[in-house]
Amino acid sequence: MIVDDKIGPVTACSGDDVQKLYKYCQEKNFAIPAINVTSSSTVVAALEAARDTKSPIILQVSQGGGAFFAGKGVSNTKQEASIGGSIAAAHYIRSVAPLYSIPVVLHTDHCAKKLLPWLDGMLEADEAYFKLHGEPLFSSHMIDLSEEEKEWNISTTAKYLKRAAPMKQWLEMEIGITGGEEDGVNNEAVDNNSLYTQPEDIYEIYSTLLKISPYFSIAAAFGNVHGFSEAISYGVVKVNLDTDLQWAYLTGIRDYVLSKKEYLATQVGNPHGKGEPNKKYYDPRVWVREGEKTMSARVKEALQDFNTAGQL
């Protein structure tokens, strides 16, 4: 994937390609935004931004995002919607990403202890895909047991890395507490001194996991926003983006609806006449596209901020 010191297009990077990409990030001092996607529309917005700025991109599905991809009307009592929706998202991304000619890391977001059945279901899909294609369906997964005891966190992560290792699948793990609120976990009242991962913990994790596989990374806490701007210079290669993009997506649709309200109040009838049809205004392909445009613009901004733009 990296030829003559430049990144080439690889859809759904896996194994050595993921490792080479992250090492390249460190060498060139940039990080890749990891974009939470919940629909084909948000996937398109992110891919467009990466293509237009000549950037690699990480597309990630959360447990809730996977369930939404499957449909909010589907039962999720045993994580079946989250599993099925995440797998569907992965296949969709694999189908359309080649059209954008950029490297894509296909990732899944925070998986806490209570969500491990979700990860188990996706790993089953990875193993089935690997038997057919020689690579896992997903490039990587994130297991986040940072709320648990450190020893259990490390041993459980090691167990999952052993499962992923034969596929050369990347596994991201988290240690330490992130300030504020993230994925329903509220640490706003936590003392600032607790918001930093201890170096000895990182060394213990690294030493344990390296014996199993080289395909892993550690999400360490660097403060209430992970201290990303400075952390990139220390080797951080991935930055999660979600909340800002949700807002950006909404603003495009909101502004369109407000500007066209006289055409959206009724199916027929607008300032041009009582019998004039409004289909070209309320067609979802019109107003959904406005959300894609504003989300894509925000992703482009992040790609510039993290020095990702122009790396292809």
Side-chain angles (χ1 to χ4, degrees), residues 10-30:
V10 174
T11 303
C13 307
S14 62
D16 292 331
D17 284 334
V18 176
Q19 188 177 45
K20 289 176 182 177
L21 177 60
Y22 289 161
K23 285 184 177 179
Y24 187 81
C25 290
Q26 293 175 328
E27 291 170 3
K28 301 297 182 180
N29 197 37
F30 72 95

Side-chain angles (χ1 to χ4, degrees), residues 44-55 296-297 299-300 303:
V44 165
L47 289 175
E48 279 192 8
R51 179 200 62 196
D52 293 348
T53 56
K54 301 186 184 305
S55 308
S296 189
V299 175
K300 288 179 182 178
L303 291 166

Side-chain angles (χ1 to χ4, degrees), residues 42-102:
T42 52
V43 168
V44 165
L47 289 175
E48 279 192 8
R51 179 200 62 196
D52 293 348
T53 56
K54 301 186 184 305
S55 308
I57 197 77
I58 300 171
L59 300 183
Q60 61 185 21
V61 184
S62 68
Q63 181 263 352
F68 187 83
F69 218 104
K72 292 294 287 184
V74 178
S75 172
N76 201 30
T77 55
K78 296 181 179 180
Q79 300 298 324
E80 58 266 48
S82 293
I83 294 169
S86 298
I87 292 170
H91 282 292
Y92 172 74
I93 292 168
R94 279 185 171 273
S95 295
V96 301
L99 303 174
Y100 294 83
S101 300
I102 55 171

Side-chain angles (χ1 to χ4, degrees), residues 1 24 30 47 59 62 143 181 217 288 298:
M1 182 185 68
Y24 187 81
F30 72 95
L47 289 175
L59 300 183
S62 68
I143 183 169
E181 185 174 359
S217 56
V288 168
R298 181 62 183 88

Side-chain angles (χ1 to χ4, degrees), residues 129-140:
Y129 195 89
F130 182 80
K131 287 181 180 179
L132 293 174
H133 304 284
E135 63 180 15
L137 177 61
F138 294 89
S139 308
S140 54

Side-chain angles (χ1 to χ4, degrees), residues 1-9 24 28 54 310-312:
M1 182 185 68
I2 297 177
V3 180
D4 296 331
D5 203 34
K6 292 294 287 184
I7 308 172
Y24 187 81
K28 301 297 182 180
K54 301 186 184 305
Q311 294 292 346
L312 296 185

